[in-house]
mmCIF file with all atom_site columns, all heavy atoms in Angstrom:
data_model
loop_
_atom_site.group_PDB
_atom_site.id
_atom_site.type_symbol
_atom_site.label_atom_id
_atom_site.label_alt_id
_atom_site.label_comp_id
_atom_site.label_asym_id
_atom_site.label_entity_id
_atom_site.label_seq_id
_atom_site.pdbx_PDB_ins_code
_atom_site.Cartn_x
_atom_site.Cartn_y
_atom_site.Cartn_z
_atom_site.occupancy
_atom_site.B_iso_or_equiv
_atom_site.pdbx_formal_charge
_atom_site.auth_seq_id
_atom_site.auth_comp_id
_atom_site.auth_asym_id
_atom_site.auth_atom_id
_atom_site.pdbx_PDB_model_num
ATOM 1   N N   . ASP A 1 58  ? -0.990  38.874  -9.777  1.00 91.00 ? 58  ASP A N   1
ATOM 2   C CA  . ASP A 1 58  ? -1.462  39.690  -10.909 1.00 91.00 ? 58  ASP A CA  1
ATOM 3   C C   . ASP A 1 58  ? -0.367  40.622  -11.431 1.00 91.00 ? 58  ASP A C   1
ATOM 4   O O   . ASP A 1 58  ? -0.234  40.831  -12.641 1.00 91.00 ? 58  ASP A O   1
ATOM 5   C CB  . ASP A 1 58  ? -2.681  40.528  -10.485 1.00 91.00 ? 58  ASP A CB  1
ATOM 6   C CG  . ASP A 1 58  ? -3.897  39.640  -10.220 1.00 91.00 ? 58  ASP A CG  1
ATOM 7   O OD1 . ASP A 1 58  ? -3.964  38.550  -10.822 1.00 91.00 ? 58  ASP A OD1 1
ATOM 8   O OD2 . ASP A 1 58  ? -4.760  40.009  -9.397  1.00 91.00 ? 58  ASP A OD2 1
ATOM 9   N N   . LEU A 1 77  ? 7.568   23.587  -31.344 1.00 95.00 ? 77  LEU A N   1
ATOM 10  C CA  . LEU A 1 77  ? 8.343   22.715  -30.447 1.00 95.00 ? 77  LEU A CA  1
ATOM 11  C C   . LEU A 1 77  ? 7.648   21.380  -30.212 1.00 95.00 ? 77  LEU A C   1
ATOM 12  O O   . LEU A 1 77  ? 8.287   20.384  -29.853 1.00 95.00 ? 77  LEU A O   1
ATOM 13  C CB  . LEU A 1 77  ? 8.572   23.414  -29.101 1.00 95.00 ? 77  LEU A CB  1
ATOM 14  C CG  . LEU A 1 77  ? 9.463   24.660  -29.119 1.00 95.00 ? 77  LEU A CG  1
ATOM 15  C CD1 . LEU A 1 77  ? 9.368   25.401  -27.789 1.00 95.00 ? 77  LEU A CD1 1
ATOM 16  C CD2 . LEU A 1 77  ? 10.915  24.283  -29.407 1.00 95.00 ? 77  LEU A CD2 1
ATOM 17  N N   . GLN A 1 96  ? -5.199  21.385  -25.296 1.00 95.00 ? 96  GLN A N   1
ATOM 18  C CA  . GLN A 1 96  ? -6.152  21.195  -26.407 1.00 95.00 ? 96  GLN A CA  1
ATOM 19  C C   . GLN A 1 96  ? -7.119  22.376  -26.502 1.00 95.00 ? 96  GLN A C   1
ATOM 20  O O   . GLN A 1 96  ? -7.452  22.836  -27.602 1.00 95.00 ? 96  GLN A O   1
ATOM 21  C CB  . GLN A 1 96  ? -6.938  19.882  -26.234 1.00 95.00 ? 96  GLN A CB  1
ATOM 22  C CG  . GLN A 1 96  ? -6.081  18.614  -26.198 1.00 95.00 ? 96  GLN A CG  1
ATOM 23  C CD  . GLN A 1 96  ? -5.415  18.263  -27.527 1.00 95.00 ? 96  GLN A CD  1
ATOM 24  O OE1 . GLN A 1 96  ? -5.005  19.149  -28.288 1.00 95.00 ? 96  GLN A OE1 1
ATOM 25  N NE2 . GLN A 1 96  ? -5.274  16.971  -27.805 1.00 95.00 ? 96  GLN A NE2 1
ATOM 26  N N   . HIS A 1 102 ? -7.216  29.151  -30.393 1.00 93.00 ? 102 HIS A N   1
ATOM 27  C CA  . HIS A 1 102 ? -6.367  30.044  -31.197 1.00 93.00 ? 102 HIS A CA  1
ATOM 28  C C   . HIS A 1 102 ? -6.135  29.516  -32.609 1.00 93.00 ? 102 HIS A C   1
ATOM 29  O O   . HIS A 1 102 ? -5.188  29.911  -33.294 1.00 93.00 ? 102 HIS A O   1
ATOM 30  C CB  . HIS A 1 102 ? -5.053  30.305  -30.457 1.00 93.00 ? 102 HIS A CB  1
ATOM 31  C CG  . HIS A 1 102 ? -5.278  30.993  -29.141 1.00 93.00 ? 102 HIS A CG  1
ATOM 32  N ND1 . HIS A 1 102 ? -5.636  32.308  -29.045 1.00 93.00 ? 102 HIS A ND1 1
ATOM 33  C CD2 . HIS A 1 102 ? -5.272  30.507  -27.867 1.00 93.00 ? 102 HIS A CD2 1
ATOM 34  C CE1 . HIS A 1 102 ? -5.823  32.625  -27.769 1.00 93.00 ? 102 HIS A CE1 1
ATOM 35  N NE2 . HIS A 1 102 ? -5.603  31.543  -27.028 1.00 93.00 ? 102 HIS A NE2 1
ATOM 36  N N   . GLY A 1 126 ? 6.596   5.790   -2.147  1.00 79.00 ? 126 GLY A N   1
ATOM 37  C CA  . GLY A 1 126 ? 5.485   5.946   -1.211  1.00 79.00 ? 126 GLY A CA  1
ATOM 38  C C   . GLY A 1 126 ? 4.541   7.068   -1.588  1.00 79.00 ? 126 GLY A C   1
ATOM 39  O O   . GLY A 1 126 ? 3.407   7.109   -1.151  1.00 79.00 ? 126 GLY A O   1
ATOM 40  N N   . ARG A 1 143 ? 11.762  25.022  -7.261  1.00 89.00 ? 143 ARG A N   1
ATOM 41  C CA  . ARG A 1 143 ? 10.563  25.847  -7.005  1.00 89.00 ? 143 ARG A CA  1
ATOM 42  C C   . ARG A 1 143 ? 9.300   25.072  -7.358  1.00 89.00 ? 143 ARG A C   1
ATOM 43  O O   . ARG A 1 143 ? 8.728   25.273  -8.442  1.00 89.00 ? 143 ARG A O   1
ATOM 44  C CB  . ARG A 1 143 ? 10.631  27.142  -7.828  1.00 89.00 ? 143 ARG A CB  1
ATOM 45  C CG  . ARG A 1 143 ? 11.697  28.119  -7.361  1.00 89.00 ? 143 ARG A CG  1
ATOM 46  C CD  . ARG A 1 143 ? 11.890  29.288  -8.320  1.00 89.00 ? 143 ARG A CD  1
ATOM 47  N NE  . ARG A 1 143 ? 12.584  28.891  -9.537  1.00 89.00 ? 143 ARG A NE  1
ATOM 48  C CZ  . ARG A 1 143 ? 12.016  28.758  -10.724 1.00 89.00 ? 143 ARG A CZ  1
ATOM 49  N NH1 . ARG A 1 143 ? 10.732  29.020  -10.877 1.00 89.00 ? 143 ARG A NH1 1
ATOM 50  N NH2 . ARG A 1 143 ? 12.715  28.380  -11.770 1.00 89.00 ? 143 ARG A NH2 1
ATOM 51  N N   . ASP A 1 148 ? 8.106   26.282  -14.983 1.00 93.00 ? 148 ASP A N   1
ATOM 52  C CA  . ASP A 1 148 ? 9.439   25.988  -15.534 1.00 93.00 ? 148 ASP A CA  1
ATOM 53  C C   . ASP A 1 148 ? 10.179  24.970  -14.663 1.00 93.00 ? 148 ASP A C   1
ATOM 54  O O   . ASP A 1 148 ? 10.788  24.023  -15.146 1.00 93.00 ? 148 ASP A O   1
ATOM 55  C CB  . ASP A 1 148 ? 10.260  27.278  -15.698 1.00 93.00 ? 148 ASP A CB  1
ATOM 56  C CG  . ASP A 1 148 ? 10.367  28.079  -14.411 1.00 93.00 ? 148 ASP A CG  1
ATOM 57  O OD1 . ASP A 1 148 ? 9.538   27.868  -13.496 1.00 93.00 ? 148 ASP A OD1 1
ATOM 58  O OD2 . ASP A 1 148 ? 11.280  28.916  -14.303 1.00 93.00 ? 148 ASP A OD2 1
ATOM 59  N N   . LYS A 1 370 ? -7.124  -1.005  -16.606 1.00 86.00 ? 370 LYS A N   1
ATOM 60  C CA  . LYS A 1 370 ? -5.821  -0.320  -16.548 1.00 86.00 ? 370 LYS A CA  1
ATOM 61  C C   . LYS A 1 370 ? -5.203  -0.415  -15.153 1.00 86.00 ? 370 LYS A C   1
ATOM 62  O O   . LYS A 1 370 ? -3.997  -0.629  -15.001 1.00 86.00 ? 370 LYS A O   1
ATOM 63  C CB  . LYS A 1 370 ? -6.009  1.145   -16.955 1.00 86.00 ? 370 LYS A CB  1
ATOM 64  C CG  . LYS A 1 370 ? -4.713  1.940   -16.890 1.00 86.00 ? 370 LYS A CG  1
ATOM 65  C CD  . LYS A 1 370 ? -4.944  3.436   -17.076 1.00 86.00 ? 370 LYS A CD  1
ATOM 66  C CE  . LYS A 1 370 ? -3.711  4.223   -16.672 1.00 86.00 ? 370 LYS A CE  1
ATOM 67  N NZ  . LYS A 1 370 ? -3.899  5.670   -16.706 1.00 86.00 ? 370 LYS A NZ  1
ATOM 68  N N   . ASP A 1 372 ? -5.434  -2.710  -12.817 1.00 91.00 ? 372 ASP A N   1
ATOM 69  C CA  . ASP A 1 372 ? -4.842  -4.024  -12.578 1.00 91.00 ? 372 ASP A CA  1
ATOM 70  C C   . ASP A 1 372 ? -3.583  -4.216  -13.410 1.00 91.00 ? 372 ASP A C   1
ATOM 71  O O   . ASP A 1 372 ? -2.622  -4.853  -12.978 1.00 91.00 ? 372 ASP A O   1
ATOM 72  C CB  . ASP A 1 372 ? -5.843  -5.137  -12.902 1.00 91.00 ? 372 ASP A CB  1
ATOM 73  C CG  . ASP A 1 372 ? -6.780  -5.410  -11.726 1.00 91.00 ? 372 ASP A CG  1
ATOM 74  O OD1 . ASP A 1 372 ? -6.724  -4.656  -10.740 1.00 91.00 ? 372 ASP A OD1 1
ATOM 75  O OD2 . ASP A 1 372 ? -7.572  -6.375  -11.802 1.00 91.00 ? 372 ASP A OD2 1
ATOM 76  N N   . VAL A 1 408 ? -3.432  -12.632 -5.341  1.00 93.00 ? 408 VAL A N   1
ATOM 77  C CA  . VAL A 1 408 ? -2.163  -13.335 -5.611  1.00 93.00 ? 408 VAL A CA  1
ATOM 78  C C   . VAL A 1 408 ? -1.336  -13.543 -4.342  1.00 93.00 ? 408 VAL A C   1
ATOM 79  O O   . VAL A 1 408 ? -0.192  -13.968 -4.401  1.00 93.00 ? 408 VAL A O   1
ATOM 80  C CB  . VAL A 1 408 ? -1.316  -12.589 -6.679  1.00 93.00 ? 408 VAL A CB  1
ATOM 81  C CG1 . VAL A 1 408 ? -1.984  -12.636 -8.035  1.00 93.00 ? 408 VAL A CG1 1
ATOM 82  C CG2 . VAL A 1 408 ? -1.038  -11.154 -6.256  1.00 93.00 ? 408 VAL A CG2 1
ATOM 83  N N   . ARG A 1 457 ? 1.623   -24.435 14.531  1.00 88.00 ? 457 ARG A N   1
ATOM 84  C CA  . ARG A 1 457 ? 2.211   -25.081 13.349  1.00 88.00 ? 457 ARG A CA  1
ATOM 85  C C   . ARG A 1 457 ? 2.954   -24.098 12.453  1.00 88.00 ? 457 ARG A C   1
ATOM 86  O O   . ARG A 1 457 ? 3.588   -24.507 11.488  1.00 88.00 ? 457 ARG A O   1
ATOM 87  C CB  . ARG A 1 457 ? 1.109   -25.767 12.523  1.00 88.00 ? 457 ARG A CB  1
ATOM 88  C CG  . ARG A 1 457 ? 0.519   -27.004 13.189  1.00 88.00 ? 457 ARG A CG  1
ATOM 89  C CD  . ARG A 1 457 ? -0.306  -27.815 12.192  1.00 88.00 ? 457 ARG A CD  1
ATOM 90  N NE  . ARG A 1 457 ? -1.343  -27.010 11.560  1.00 88.00 ? 457 ARG A NE  1
ATOM 91  C CZ  . ARG A 1 457 ? -2.582  -26.879 12.040  1.00 88.00 ? 457 ARG A CZ  1
ATOM 92  N NH1 . ARG A 1 457 ? -2.931  -27.501 13.150  1.00 88.00 ? 457 ARG A NH1 1
ATOM 93  N NH2 . ARG A 1 457 ? -3.472  -26.142 11.412  1.00 88.00 ? 457 ARG A NH2 1
ATOM 94  N N   . LYS A 1 463 ? 10.997  -21.395 23.417  1.00 95.00 ? 463 LYS A N   1
ATOM 95  C CA  . LYS A 1 463 ? 10.697  -21.337 24.856  1.00 95.00 ? 463 LYS A CA  1
ATOM 96  C C   . LYS A 1 463 ? 11.015  -19.967 25.446  1.00 95.00 ? 463 LYS A C   1
ATOM 97  O O   . LYS A 1 463 ? 10.776  -19.712 26.619  1.00 95.00 ? 463 LYS A O   1
ATOM 98  C CB  . LYS A 1 463 ? 11.515  -22.406 25.607  1.00 95.00 ? 463 LYS A CB  1
ATOM 99  C CG  . LYS A 1 463 ? 10.981  -23.834 25.418  1.00 95.00 ? 463 LYS A CG  1
ATOM 100 C CD  . LYS A 1 463 ? 9.666   -24.006 26.164  1.00 95.00 ? 463 LYS A CD  1
ATOM 101 C CE  . LYS A 1 463 ? 9.162   -25.431 26.130  1.00 95.00 ? 463 LYS A CE  1
ATOM 102 N NZ  . LYS A 1 463 ? 7.878   -25.557 26.841  1.00 95.00 ? 463 LYS A NZ  1
ATOM 103 N N   . SER A 1 518 ? -15.080 -36.443 -21.902 1.00 82.00 ? 518 SER A N   1
ATOM 104 C CA  . SER A 1 518 ? -15.354 -37.559 -20.988 1.00 82.00 ? 518 SER A CA  1
ATOM 105 C C   . SER A 1 518 ? -16.646 -37.361 -20.198 1.00 82.00 ? 518 SER A C   1
ATOM 106 O O   . SER A 1 518 ? -17.103 -36.235 -19.977 1.00 82.00 ? 518 SER A O   1
ATOM 107 C CB  . SER A 1 518 ? -14.198 -37.725 -20.003 1.00 82.00 ? 518 SER A CB  1
ATOM 108 O OG  . SER A 1 518 ? -14.189 -36.641 -19.107 1.00 82.00 ? 518 SER A OG  1
ATOM 109 N N   . SER A 1 555 ? -29.810 2.513   13.392  1.00 85.00 ? 555 SER A N   1
ATOM 110 C CA  . SER A 1 555 ? -30.896 3.064   14.211  1.00 85.00 ? 555 SER A CA  1
ATOM 111 C C   . SER A 1 555 ? -30.550 3.045   15.705  1.00 85.00 ? 555 SER A C   1
ATOM 112 O O   . SER A 1 555 ? -31.144 3.759   16.495  1.00 85.00 ? 555 SER A O   1
ATOM 113 C CB  . SER A 1 555 ? -32.183 2.274   13.973  1.00 85.00 ? 555 SER A CB  1
ATOM 114 O OG  . SER A 1 555 ? -32.000 0.938   14.438  1.00 85.00 ? 555 SER A OG  1
ATOM 115 N N   . GLU A 1 563 ? -14.800 6.912   18.059  1.00 53.00 ? 563 GLU A N   1
ATOM 116 C CA  . GLU A 1 563 ? -13.661 7.411   17.307  1.00 53.00 ? 563 GLU A CA  1
ATOM 117 C C   . GLU A 1 563 ? -13.917 7.226   15.812  1.00 53.00 ? 563 GLU A C   1
ATOM 118 O O   . GLU A 1 563 ? -14.337 6.177   15.368  1.00 53.00 ? 563 GLU A O   1
ATOM 119 C CB  . GLU A 1 563 ? -12.423 6.585   17.733  1.00 53.00 ? 563 GLU A CB  1
ATOM 120 C CG  . GLU A 1 563 ? -11.166 6.957   16.994  1.00 53.00 ? 563 GLU A CG  1
ATOM 121 C CD  . GLU A 1 563 ? -10.831 8.425   17.142  1.00 53.00 ? 563 GLU A CD  1
ATOM 122 O OE1 . GLU A 1 563 ? -10.779 8.928   18.269  1.00 53.00 ? 563 GLU A OE1 1
ATOM 123 O OE2 . GLU A 1 563 ? -10.647 9.063   16.121  1.00 53.00 ? 563 GLU A OE2 1
ATOM 124 N N   . TYR A 1 591 ? -26.912 -20.727 6.152   1.00 96.00 ? 591 TYR A N   1
ATOM 125 C CA  . TYR A 1 591 ? -26.146 -21.868 6.673   1.00 96.00 ? 591 TYR A CA  1
ATOM 126 C C   . TYR A 1 591 ? -26.475 -23.134 5.874   1.00 96.00 ? 591 TYR A C   1
ATOM 127 O O   . TYR A 1 591 ? -25.587 -23.875 5.448   1.00 96.00 ? 591 TYR A O   1
ATOM 128 C CB  . TYR A 1 591 ? -26.463 -22.072 8.166   1.00 96.00 ? 591 TYR A CB  1
ATOM 129 C CG  . TYR A 1 591 ? -25.536 -23.064 8.842   1.00 96.00 ? 591 TYR A CG  1
ATOM 130 C CD1 . TYR A 1 591 ? -24.376 -22.619 9.462   1.00 96.00 ? 591 TYR A CD1 1
ATOM 131 C CD2 . TYR A 1 591 ? -25.823 -24.432 8.842   1.00 96.00 ? 591 TYR A CD2 1
ATOM 132 C CE1 . TYR A 1 591 ? -23.509 -23.522 10.079  1.00 96.00 ? 591 TYR A CE1 1
ATOM 133 C CE2 . TYR A 1 591 ? -24.963 -25.344 9.438   1.00 96.00 ? 591 TYR A CE2 1
ATOM 134 C CZ  . TYR A 1 591 ? -23.806 -24.880 10.061  1.00 96.00 ? 591 TYR A CZ  1
ATOM 135 O OH  . TYR A 1 591 ? -22.942 -25.762 10.655  1.00 96.00 ? 591 TYR A OH  1
ATOM 136 N N   . VAL A 1 597 ? -23.906 -26.415 -0.831  1.00 95.00 ? 597 VAL A N   1
ATOM 137 C CA  . VAL A 1 597 ? -22.885 -26.073 -1.840  1.00 95.00 ? 597 VAL A CA  1
ATOM 138 C C   . VAL A 1 597 ? -21.549 -26.711 -1.467  1.00 95.00 ? 597 VAL A C   1
ATOM 139 O O   . VAL A 1 597 ? -20.860 -27.321 -2.295  1.00 95.00 ? 597 VAL A O   1
ATOM 140 C CB  . VAL A 1 597 ? -22.740 -24.526 -1.960  1.00 95.00 ? 597 VAL A CB  1
ATOM 141 C CG1 . VAL A 1 597 ? -21.479 -24.149 -2.724  1.00 95.00 ? 597 VAL A CG1 1
ATOM 142 C CG2 . VAL A 1 597 ? -23.967 -23.927 -2.629  1.00 95.00 ? 597 VAL A CG2 1
ATOM 143 N N   . THR A 1 694 ? 5.429   2.209   28.345  1.00 92.00 ? 694 THR A N   1
ATOM 144 C CA  . THR A 1 694 ? 4.235   2.509   29.151  1.00 92.00 ? 694 THR A CA  1
ATOM 145 C C   . THR A 1 694 ? 3.576   1.225   29.644  1.00 92.00 ? 694 THR A C   1
ATOM 146 O O   . THR A 1 694 ? 2.642   0.738   29.014  1.00 92.00 ? 694 THR A O   1
ATOM 147 C CB  . THR A 1 694 ? 3.209   3.321   28.318  1.00 92.00 ? 694 THR A CB  1
ATOM 148 O OG1 . THR A 1 694 ? 2.952   2.599   27.107  1.00 92.00 ? 694 THR A OG1 1
ATOM 149 C CG2 . THR A 1 694 ? 3.725   4.691   27.955  1.00 92.00 ? 694 THR A CG2 1
ATOM 150 N N   . VAL A 1 725 ? 10.413  -4.385  36.606  1.00 94.00 ? 725 VAL A N   1
ATOM 151 C CA  . VAL A 1 725 ? 11.489  -3.387  36.731  1.00 94.00 ? 725 VAL A CA  1
ATOM 152 C C   . VAL A 1 725 ? 11.054  -2.129  35.999  1.00 94.00 ? 725 VAL A C   1
ATOM 153 O O   . VAL A 1 725 ? 10.564  -2.195  34.867  1.00 94.00 ? 725 VAL A O   1
ATOM 154 C CB  . VAL A 1 725 ? 12.812  -3.907  36.092  1.00 94.00 ? 725 VAL A CB  1
ATOM 155 C CG1 . VAL A 1 725 ? 13.896  -2.836  36.145  1.00 94.00 ? 725 VAL A CG1 1
ATOM 156 C CG2 . VAL A 1 725 ? 13.279  -5.182  36.765  1.00 94.00 ? 725 VAL A CG2 1
ATOM 157 N N   . GLU A 1 754 ? -19.690 22.579  25.133  1.00 81.00 ? 754 GLU A N   1
ATOM 158 C CA  . GLU A 1 754 ? -18.721 22.206  24.094  1.00 81.00 ? 754 GLU A CA  1
ATOM 159 C C   . GLU A 1 754 ? -18.345 23.406  23.231  1.00 81.00 ? 754 GLU A C   1
ATOM 160 O O   . GLU A 1 754 ? -17.174 23.606  22.912  1.00 81.00 ? 754 GLU A O   1
ATOM 161 C CB  . GLU A 1 754 ? -19.289 21.084  23.207  1.00 81.00 ? 754 GLU A CB  1
ATOM 162 C CG  . GLU A 1 754 ? -18.238 20.588  22.238  1.00 81.00 ? 754 GLU A CG  1
ATOM 163 C CD  . GLU A 1 754 ? -18.726 19.512  21.291  1.00 81.00 ? 754 GLU A CD  1
ATOM 164 O OE1 . GLU A 1 754 ? -19.704 19.739  20.554  1.00 81.00 ? 754 GLU A OE1 1
ATOM 165 O OE2 . GLU A 1 754 ? -18.119 18.436  21.301  1.00 81.00 ? 754 GLU A OE2 1
ATOM 166 N N   . ASN A 1 783 ? -12.830 12.754  16.761  1.00 86.00 ? 783 ASN A N   1
ATOM 167 C CA  . ASN A 1 783 ? -12.684 13.169  15.363  1.00 86.00 ? 783 ASN A CA  1
ATOM 168 C C   . ASN A 1 783 ? -13.464 14.436  15.056  1.00 86.00 ? 783 ASN A C   1
ATOM 169 O O   . ASN A 1 783 ? -13.011 15.311  14.342  1.00 86.00 ? 783 ASN A O   1
ATOM 170 C CB  . ASN A 1 783 ? -13.249 12.050  14.487  1.00 86.00 ? 783 ASN A CB  1
ATOM 171 C CG  . ASN A 1 783 ? -12.198 11.471  13.602  1.00 86.00 ? 783 ASN A CG  1
ATOM 172 O OD1 . ASN A 1 783 ? -11.022 11.550  13.912  1.00 86.00 ? 783 ASN A OD1 1
ATOM 173 N ND2 . ASN A 1 783 ? -12.605 10.899  12.503  1.00 86.00 ? 783 ASN A ND2 1
ATOM 174 N N   . ILE A 1 802 ? 0.939   30.264  8.882   1.00 89.00 ? 802 ILE A N   1
ATOM 175 C CA  . ILE A 1 802 ? 1.063   28.992  9.615   1.00 89.00 ? 802 ILE A CA  1
ATOM 176 C C   . ILE A 1 802 ? 0.043   28.011  9.060   1.00 89.00 ? 802 ILE A C   1
ATOM 177 O O   . ILE A 1 802 ? -1.154  28.277  9.028   1.00 89.00 ? 802 ILE A O   1
ATOM 178 C CB  . ILE A 1 802 ? 0.878   29.200  11.146  1.00 89.00 ? 802 ILE A CB  1
ATOM 179 C CG1 . ILE A 1 802 ? 2.022   30.062  11.691  1.00 89.00 ? 802 ILE A CG1 1
ATOM 180 C CG2 . ILE A 1 802 ? 0.828   27.849  11.872  1.00 89.00 ? 802 ILE A CG2 1
ATOM 181 C CD1 . ILE A 1 802 ? 1.906   30.406  13.164  1.00 89.00 ? 802 ILE A CD1 1
ATOM 182 N N   . ASP A 1 844 ? 13.796  20.157  16.100  1.00 79.00 ? 844 ASP A N   1
ATOM 183 C CA  . ASP A 1 844 ? 13.072  21.428  16.147  1.00 79.00 ? 844 ASP A CA  1
ATOM 184 C C   . ASP A 1 844 ? 11.689  21.381  15.523  1.00 79.00 ? 844 ASP A C   1
ATOM 185 O O   . ASP A 1 844 ? 10.900  22.300  15.703  1.00 79.00 ? 844 ASP A O   1
ATOM 186 C CB  . ASP A 1 844 ? 13.896  22.517  15.423  1.00 79.00 ? 844 ASP A CB  1
ATOM 187 C CG  . ASP A 1 844 ? 15.134  22.881  16.234  1.00 79.00 ? 844 ASP A CG  1
ATOM 188 O OD1 . ASP A 1 844 ? 15.129  22.589  17.445  1.00 79.00 ? 844 ASP A OD1 1
ATOM 189 O OD2 . ASP A 1 844 ? 16.093  23.417  15.651  1.00 79.00 ? 844 ASP A OD2 1
ATOM 190 N N   . PRO A 1 943 ? 3.295   33.857  27.857  1.00 93.00 ? 943 PRO A N   1
ATOM 191 C CA  . PRO A 1 943 ? 4.502   34.399  28.500  1.00 93.00 ? 943 PRO A CA  1
ATOM 192 C C   . PRO A 1 943 ? 5.388   33.305  29.115  1.00 93.00 ? 943 PRO A C   1
ATOM 193 O O   . PRO A 1 943 ? 6.613   33.358  29.026  1.00 93.00 ? 943 PRO A O   1
ATOM 194 C CB  . PRO A 1 943 ? 3.946   35.323  29.601  1.00 93.00 ? 943 PRO A CB  1
ATOM 195 C CG  . PRO A 1 943 ? 2.552   35.636  29.181  1.00 93.00 ? 943 PRO A CG  1
ATOM 196 C CD  . PRO A 1 943 ? 2.071   34.496  28.355  1.00 93.00 ? 943 PRO A CD  1
#
Side-chain angles (χ1 to χ4, degrees):
D58 292 333
L77 294 168
Q96 300 291 35
H102 298 287
R143 290 171 287 107
D148 55 341
K370 179 189 166 185
D372 276 7
V408 293
R457 290 194 305 270
K463 285 289 186 181
S518 70
S555 65
E563 178 57 52
Y591 190 92
V597 166
T694 54
V725 176
E754 186 182 57
N783 242 24
I802 295 176
D844 289 340

